[in-house]
Structures are given as C-alpha cells and as structure tokens.
Amino acid sequence: MTLINLIALGWFLIAWIGYTRFSKAQAKKRLCLASELRKKRIQWMQQMLARDMRMPDVSIISTLERNITFFASSSMLIIAGLLTAMSSAEQIQQIMNQFTFVSPQTIQQIQIKLLVIIGIFVYAFFQFTWALRQYGFGGVLIGAAPEEGTLSLEQHVLFANRAAKVIDQAAHSFNYGLRAIYLSMAALTWFIDPRAFMFATVVAVIIMYHREFHSKALRALRDCA
C-alpha cells in the first residue's frame, strides 16, 4: 500500500471512531435522535405497563426485528458477493484502468480494499444481529411485565426505565450497523482515488451528523408531547 492509501485508510478509521465517540458524548448533553428516542421509549414502556392488552407492543418489537433482519441478511449477501469479487481482482483491475479518472492500482491493492469493505460489513452484521437479540430481550420483558396495580409507583418507574434501557441498547447497536453501511458507501470511492475516499468519508460523517442532530425528524420528535 502506498503512503496516500495508508493515510486515507487512517483518516477513514479516525473519522469513524471519532464520530462515534463524539455522538455518544453529545447525546448526554444536547438534543439528538438518541436522547429524544430514549425519552419516547420510557414513555412507551410506561404506557405498556398501563395496558391490559399488550399485543400492539409485541407487534412493534416484531416490526423492528423484521427491519433489522433485512439489514443483517443483506450484509451477509454483500459479504458473499465481495468474497467472490476477491477472486476476480484481475478483471476488476482491467475494468478500473479503462477509466481515466481512476488512479492506477495493483491487484493486491484492489484485494486489500475489498478486504477492508468486507470487514466493514462483517462489523455491521455483528451489530445488526446483536440488535436483533436485544430487541428479543425487550419482547421478553414486555411479556414478563406485571399487570397494572401490582407495582408501586417507584417499581413502575424502575421497570419502565430498565425495559426502555434494553430497547435503547438494541437501537444503539442498530445505529452502529447503519453507520457502517453509510461509511461503506464512502469506502467504495477508494477504488477511484484515495483523496476521493477521504472526501467521501467527510461527506458521510456530515450526513450522519445532520440526520442525528439537525434533521426535521428530530424536530418532529421533539415537538410530540
């Protein structure tokens, strides 16, 4: 790997890890999707404890699980496709070298870039499957939730907070997987040029930041009582 490729890869990893740490810290200090949804999940669990029929709550959990299953299975298919592409690195090199705007690269460089993208999707797969399991834990808690009137006010609040925490952790894992998907799109530009890779990484981080801290969806969630 050339120096510019190593710099681009380092830039990518620093941006990914740095933004993850930044967003986690900021979620404790300011309004964002994570903090606002945390409040809504607590309200959800409080309303769930007050209901006799909890089928709507189970249905919501099932819908969330189906969505994550789609991403997890898609990640597996993409990994399989990338592994297949590893054996066709020579053909990929020939195709890429036909474009004047693509930097020249060796077969080994193409294989390394494919391995990096495979690593991203492996990480995403583990995050999605862990989110899936945690949503399952949330479904168990909904099924095990005591009936209304059997808990004191303090126990009611405590159970709602703890159940919301489990679902909140599942959402965080899902979010980590989605970030990996976003950044994998930036990693595709590495096949064009390392400088394009660095620029695309910055663009991906800006998009994620805007959606988590300044999106219209966030303002709508904030305005919902």
Side-chain angles (χ1 to χ4, degrees):
M1 293 292 282
T2 59
L3 179 60
I4 186 63
N5 278 298
L6 291 174
I7 292 173
L9 180 58
W11 176 274
F12 174 77
L13 293 174
I14 290 171
W16 188 353
I17 297 171
Y19 178 74
T20 299
R21 289 180 173 272
F22 168 80
S23 60
K24 187 175 182 179
Q26 291 297 307
K28 300 176 182 178
K29 303 176 184 178
R30 56 185 289 194
L31 180 69
C32 67
L33 286 176
S35 61
E36 192 61 31
L37 285 171
R38 165 70 173 164
K39 297 176 185 177
K40 295 296 186 288
R41 292 184 185 106
I42 292 174
Q43 293 175 6
W44 174 20
M45 290 297 102
Q46 290 173 342
Q47 293 294 326
M48 180 272 297
L49 288 172
R51 282 193 285 265
D52 292 330
M53 295 297 295
R54 292 164 183 169
M55 288 304 297
D57 307 292
V58 175
S59 178
I60 293 171
I61 291 291
S62 298
T63 300
L64 292 170
E65 288 178 331
R66 284 196 298 270
N67 292 337
I68 298 173
T69 300
F70 167 77
F71 282 99
S73 59
S74 297
S75 297
M76 284 296 293
L77 292 173
I78 293 170
I79 291 169
L82 290 170
L83 289 172
T84 303
M86 287 283 291
S87 62
S88 305
E90 185 176 353
Q91 289 84 348
I92 294 173
Q93 182 200 34
Q94 293 173 358
I95 294 171
M96 299 297 290
N97 288 341
Q98 292 177 3
F99 298 98
T100 56
F101 58 86
V102 175
S103 299
Q105 48 199 317
T106 64
I107 296 175
Q108 289 75 19
Q109 287 175 336
I110 290 174
Q111 290 175 332
I112 290 173
K113 292 173 183 180
L114 287 171
L115 280 173
V116 170
I117 298 176
I118 288 171
I120 294 171
F121 278 99
V122 168
Y123 172 83
F125 173 77
F126 276 103
Q127 290 295 340
F128 289 140
T129 52
W130 181 228
L132 189 61
R133 289 198 65 190
Q134 290 180 97
Y135 274 123
F137 302 156
V140 170
L141 286 175
I142 290 173
E147 296 181 359
E148 184 182 9
T150 60
L151 295 177
S152 65
L153 178 60
E154 182 180 353
Q155 291 173 324
H156 181 101
V157 173
L158 187 61
F159 186 93
N161 287 339
R162 288 177 174 173
K165 180 67 174 178
V166 172
I167 298 174
D168 201 49
Q169 290 300 312
H172 286 320
S173 296
F174 180 50
N175 196 26
Y176 293 152
L178 283 180
R179 285 178 190 165
I181 299 294
Y182 276 106
L183 290 167
S184 70
M185 300 298 103
L188 290 175
T189 61
W190 198 8
F191 291 99
I192 298 175
D193 187 82
R195 289 170 288 271
F197 179 29
M198 289 189 283
F199 176 75
T201 300
V202 174
V203 172
V205 170
I206 291 173
I207 291 172
M208 291 188 294
Y209 172 78
H210 179 267
R211 291 186 176 182
E212 291 192 44
F213 293 93
H214 297 285
S215 64
K216 292 181 181 179
L218 174 60
R219 291 194 293 270
L221 285 168
R222 178 197 59 195
D223 296 337
C224 288

